[in-house]
Amino acid sequence: MVLQNGIKLASSLIYENFADLVGKVCDCLLRKGALTLPELTRFTELPSQQVKNCLLVLIQHNCVLDYSVQKEGGIGEQDKWVVHYAALFDNILHRMRFTKFLTMVAEELDKECKELFEGLMQHGRLSLEQLILRAIPEPDQGNIALQDGIRASFGKLVDAHYVERCPDFKPSIPIPPQDGTTSTARRGAKSSKIADQREKTQEQQAIAMASCSEGRRFDITMNYGTDVKSGARIEGNAPISIGEKRKHEEIESEHDWEKKDLWRVNFDEFVRRLRHKACVTSVRSQLDEGAGTVLNAILETTRRAEKKVKTEITDPLSINTIYQEVINREEGRTMDLEHVRTALVQLECRVEKEAYRVDLKSIIETAQNMEVESIVEKRYGEYACRIYRYLSRTGHLAETDKIADTTFLEKQDALKLLYTLWENRYLEKEKIILSGPTQAQKMLWKVIKCPLWEIVLDEMHHAALNLNQRMAYELEQEHEIRNLPKEKRVGELGKRFERIRRVKILMESSLMKLDDAIMLFHDF
C-alpha cells in the first residue's frame, strides 16, 4: 500500500518531467485509483481532448496502463467493455533512477548500447527503426554497416533483458463476481470495502497481463543487411536483383517487426539486479567477503530462472556447479571447495537432495531491520537502538522489567525510551491488568514489522520529496549562472557556479543513497 508521501513524490516527478496538465491527470489517477475517461474529465475539470492527450503521453512513457473491464449491459443489451486508466506507481518512481540504470548498462555493455538505451528512457517506447534513425545522422542513414552496428548493440540490450517488447494487445478483465449490490449509493461500508478490494484486484490483474509471453518478450531475429527506410536487402555492396526478389518475399515480410514492434525499458531486470546487489552487499557486511562472493556466483547463475523480482529462495544448485561458478570469477579464484562449503553454511542454505538453495527473503529482511536500527540510533540514541534491536529480534511481547534488564538500563530510563519509540510508532504496547486486590498493571511491548516498514517507507518518500524539491529550487535560483559560457564564469559569478555545481552533486548523491533505502523497503 502506498501512503500519501509516496503519492506526492510520484506526482512531483510527473510534474517535473511533463509540466502541469499531464501532472494534474496523473495526480488524479494516483490519488483516486483506476478511472475511466469520463471520470477523469470530471475530476480534473479539463476538456476531454486534453485529458486524452495527457493519457497518451503517460502511456507512451509507461506511467499509465490502459485496460478494458467487462461490464454487464442493461435489460436486452449486450455486455460492454469500458476502458480504465491506472497510474503505474513503480514505473513513475523509476524515473528518478534513470541515471542509475544508465550507469549499469554502460558498465556491463558499451557506449553504443548506452546511447540506444538512453533514447528508450527519453522517449518511453520506440521501434527498432526509430532507434536506428535516431542514432544515425541523416546523411548516413542509408549506410547499412552503421544500421547493422545499431542492430548488434540493440541485440545485446535484448539479450541482457534490459529492454523488452511491448505487448500489442490491451489487457481485458472479464465481468467480476457480483456482490449483490446494484448501486454505489446503496452499498454499505462492508460492501464498499469489498468493491475497493475487487477494483484493486482488477488493476493488479491488468498489470500482470500487460506483458508479452516469455518467448516473445525477448525473442528477435535481426534483419542484418536490410535498409530500414526502403526495406531493400543488400548482399555485399549490391542490391538484390529483381529476378531474386521473390526468394526474399517471406524474409522481407518478417522485416516489419522493426517498424511495427515497440520496445521499452524492462524495469524488472534492473530491480532484480539491484536486489541481488543489495543481498550481496548485506552478506559481505554481516558475514565476510567469501560468503558474498559465493552468493554473487549463485545469484548470477540462477538469475534467468527467476520468475518474479521478489524471489524468496534461489533455484537449487549442486556444490560442484557453485564451486565452478565461484572460481570462474577473479575474486573467487583463491577459494577452495572447503571454503565454499563454509560460506554455504554461513548463508544458512537449505540443502535438498545434495543441492543448495539460498533464502533471499531472510537476507532482505535482515538488511531492512539493520536499516531501521540505524534510523533509530541516529534519531533516539544508542540505548533506544538497543531496545528496538532486542524487541525486533525477540519477535514477541516483552515486559518493561525484562527489557530494562536485557539492555542494561535503569527501569525509568528504559520506560522513557519505550514511550518515545511508541509515540513515534516504532513499537506497539499492550496493557495487562493483573488479577488480585490491587489490580496492578503491566506494560508489554512489541515490534510489529509490516506496519512499521510502511511508516519508515513513507518517511523516506517524504525525505526524497523534500530533497528533490530543494534541488529543483536551488537549480532554478541559479538558472542564469548555470547557462553562462565558461569564459564568463569569473570572479563572483565563478564562485556561484562552483557552489551550485557542488550543491547539485551533493544532493544527487544523497538522493541516490536515499533511493537505495526506498528500494530496499518497496521493491526488494
Side-chain angles (χ1 to χ4, degrees):
M1 186 180 82
V2 181
L3 301 182
Q4 283 302 309
N5 285 316
I7 291 173
K8 289 178 182 177
L9 174 60
S11 182
S12 74
L13 290 171
I14 295 298
Y15 273 104
E16 181 183 324
N17 285 272
F18 303 108
D20 291 349
L21 288 179
V22 177
K24 187 173 185 179
V25 171
C26 191
D27 182 70
C28 183
L29 290 173
L30 285 165
R31 295 182 186 280
K32 295 186 178 295
L35 297 171
T36 62
L37 181 60
E39 289 171 336
L40 259 175
T41 303
R42 186 171 73 254
F43 287 132
T44 58
E45 299 179 349
L46 293 173
S48 178
Q49 189 57 47
Q50 279 191 343
V51 174
K52 284 182 182 178
N53 292 337
C54 292
L55 287 170
L56 287 173
V57 170
L58 290 166
I59 291 169
Q60 171 69 23
H61 288 272
N62 308 302
C63 296
V64 162
L65 173 68
D66 58 326
Y67 61 95
S68 298
V69 177
Q70 190 177 15
K71 300 290 185 183
E72 282 191 342
I75 298 174
E77 295 179 355
Q78 295 290 327
D79 294 342
K80 58 182 179 179
W81 293 88
V82 180
V83 179
H84 286 66
Y85 300 91
L88 300 175
F89 176 81
D90 290 354
N91 286 9
I92 294 171
L93 248 60
H94 288 324
R95 298 193 68 82
M96 69 179 185
R97 299 172 184 137
F98 279 0
T99 303
K100 193 180 293 185
F101 297 161
L102 200 60
T103 302
M104 291 171 66
V105 171
E107 288 176 351
E108 183 179 342
L109 302 176
D110 52 36
K111 183 182 177 182
E112 288 73 20
C113 292
K114 177 188 173 184
E115 290 174 354
L116 280 178
F117 185 77
E118 190 172 9
L120 270 181
M121 290 197 301
Q122 289 175 356
H123 298 282
R125 301 179 181 195
L126 292 174
S127 66
L128 179 54
E129 179 188 60
Q130 290 171 320
L131 282 167
I132 290 173
L133 296 178
R134 178 185 178 277
I136 300 175
E138 191 168 347
D140 299 325
Q141 285 182 357
N143 189 318
I144 303 300
L146 288 177
Q147 292 183 22
D148 283 352
I150 301 298
R151 288 187 177 99
S153 296
F154 184 75
K156 292 178 185 178
L157 287 169
V158 176
D159 187 57
H161 289 191
Y162 283 145
V163 300
E164 63 179 354
R165 182 182 270 107
C166 297
D168 54 2
F169 59 88
K170 185 184 295 182
S172 300
I173 311 297
I175 295 175
Q178 296 299 305
D179 62 352
T181 59
T182 58
S183 170
T184 304
R186 295 178 183 176
R187 287 202 302 249
K190 184 176 180 180
S191 60
S192 178
K193 184 177 181 181
I194 293 171
D196 289 343
Q197 291 174 345
R198 179 185 303 147
E199 192 70 26
K200 182 180 178 183
T201 303
Q202 287 177 355
E203 190 174 323
Q204 289 174 338
Q205 284 178 341
I207 292 171
M209 293 166 64
S211 62
C212 296
S213 63
E214 198 65 26
R216 178 169 163 73
R217 194 177 174 191
F218 306 107
D219 181 37
I220 56 170
T221 302
M222 288 299 176
N223 303 321
Y224 290 111
T226 305
D227 182 19
V228 292
K229 278 192 169 182
S230 65
R233 187 172 177 82
I234 308 297
E235 291 187 356
N237 295 319
I240 294 175
S241 65
I242 296 173
E244 296 175 326
K245 187 174 180 181
R246 286 184 180 178
K247 298 178 183 179
H248 300 276
E249 283 182 355
E250 186 177 346
I251 297 174
E252 287 177 359
S253 67
E254 294 175 357
H255 294 171
D256 287 346
W257 75 264
E258 290 192 353
K259 302 177 186 292
K260 295 180 180 178
D261 289 1
L262 296 176
W263 298 81
R264 64 188 179 189
V265 176
N266 178 20
F267 293 124
D268 283 354
E269 184 64 23
F270 287 97
V271 174
R272 180 180 290 110
R273 290 177 185 242
L274 289 170
R275 183 175 188 255
H276 290 175
K277 183 179 177 181
C279 287
V280 173
T281 301
S282 178
V283 164
R284 280 179 172 152
S285 66
Q286 293 175 50
L287 300 176
D288 57 33
E289 285 291 330
T293 300
V294 170
L295 177 61
N296 192 36
I298 292 172
L299 292 176
E300 289 194 15
T301 306
T302 60
R303 180 185 295 135
R304 288 294 175 92
E306 292 186 4
K307 301 300 182 184
K308 57 182 181 178
V309 174
K310 295 184 179 182
T311 300
E312 294 186 359
I313 189 166
T314 62
D315 276 14
L317 291 176
S318 67
I319 183 66
N320 291 331
T321 302
I322 295 170
Y323 180 65
Q324 190 61 44
E325 291 297 328
V326 168
I327 62 174
N328 285 343
R329 289 161 174 74
E330 185 177 350
E331 66 272 18
R333 288 172 190 162
T334 59
M335 298 180 70
D336 57 18
L337 188 60
E338 190 59 35
H339 193 171
V340 172
R341 288 185 189 276
T342 302
L344 292 171
V345 172
Q346 287 179 293
L347 291 168
E348 298 180 355
C349 292
R350 300 183 190 180
V351 184
E352 300 173 1
K353 298 179 181 179
E354 298 184 356
Y356 293 82
R357 307 180 74 185
V358 181
D359 188 348
L360 299 182
K361 183 181 178 183
S362 175
I363 294 172
I364 291 295
E365 286 178 350
T366 301
Q368 290 171 336
N369 211 45
M370 295 289 287
E371 183 68 28
V372 178
E373 285 179 16
S374 174
I375 293 170
V376 171
E377 185 172 13
K378 288 176 182 176
R379 289 185 180 179
Y380 309 110
E382 180 186 348
Y383 296 131
C385 183
R386 279 190 206 172
I387 291 173
Y388 173 81
R389 185 183 295 120
Y390 168 71
L391 289 173
S392 66
R393 295 182 182 182
T394 301
H396 55 72
L397 291 165
E399 300 178 21
T400 306
D401 291 342
K402 177 68 173 175
I403 294 168
D405 291 342
T406 307
T407 56
F408 303 104
L409 291 170
E410 294 292 334
K411 183 177 178 180
Q412 290 302 317
D413 294 336
L415 195 59
K416 184 179 178 180
L417 289 171
L418 283 165
Y419 269 104
T420 299
L421 293 173
W422 172 73
E423 287 170 355
N424 289 281
R425 300 183 293 178
Y426 284 89
L427 303 180
E428 298 292 332
K429 71 171 182 175
E430 287 188 20
K431 187 185 294 185
I432 296 178
I433 300 176
L434 301 176
S435 59
T438 59
Q439 291 191 329
Q441 295 181 353
K442 182 181 287 187
M443 302 299 298
L444 301 177
W445 309 85
K446 184 180 180 181
V447 171
I448 303 179
K449 292 183 179 179
C450 286
L452 175 57
W453 277 197
E454 289 183 358
I455 293 166
V456 170
L457 179 60
D458 194 52
E459 289 177 349
M460 289 178 178
H461 283 150
H462 186 229
L465 174 63
N466 288 343
L467 193 55
N468 204 39
Q469 289 178 340
R470 181 55 189 261
M471 183 164 63
Y473 171 78
E474 291 283 352
L475 295 177
E476 180 63 28
Q477 288 293 103
E478 300 290 358
H479 176 71
E480 294 181 0
I481 300 296
R482 291 171 58 233
N483 291 331
L484 278 176
K486 187 175 181 180
E487 61 271 12
K488 293 186 178 181
R489 298 175 202 156
V490 293
E492 189 61 32
L493 295 179
K495 290 179 181 178
R496 287 173 61 185
F497 179 85
E498 191 60 28
R499 173 196 165 274
I500 196 62
R501 189 186 68 84
R502 288 197 301 266
V503 167
K504 184 174 182 288
I505 292 172
L506 178 62
M507 288 190 170
E508 285 179 344
S509 175
S510 300
L511 191 58
M512 192 170 291
K513 289 179 182 177
L514 182 57
D515 182 56
D516 290 341
I518 289 173
M519 293 191 77
L520 178 63
F521 286 90
H522 180 71
D523 299 279
F524 299 166

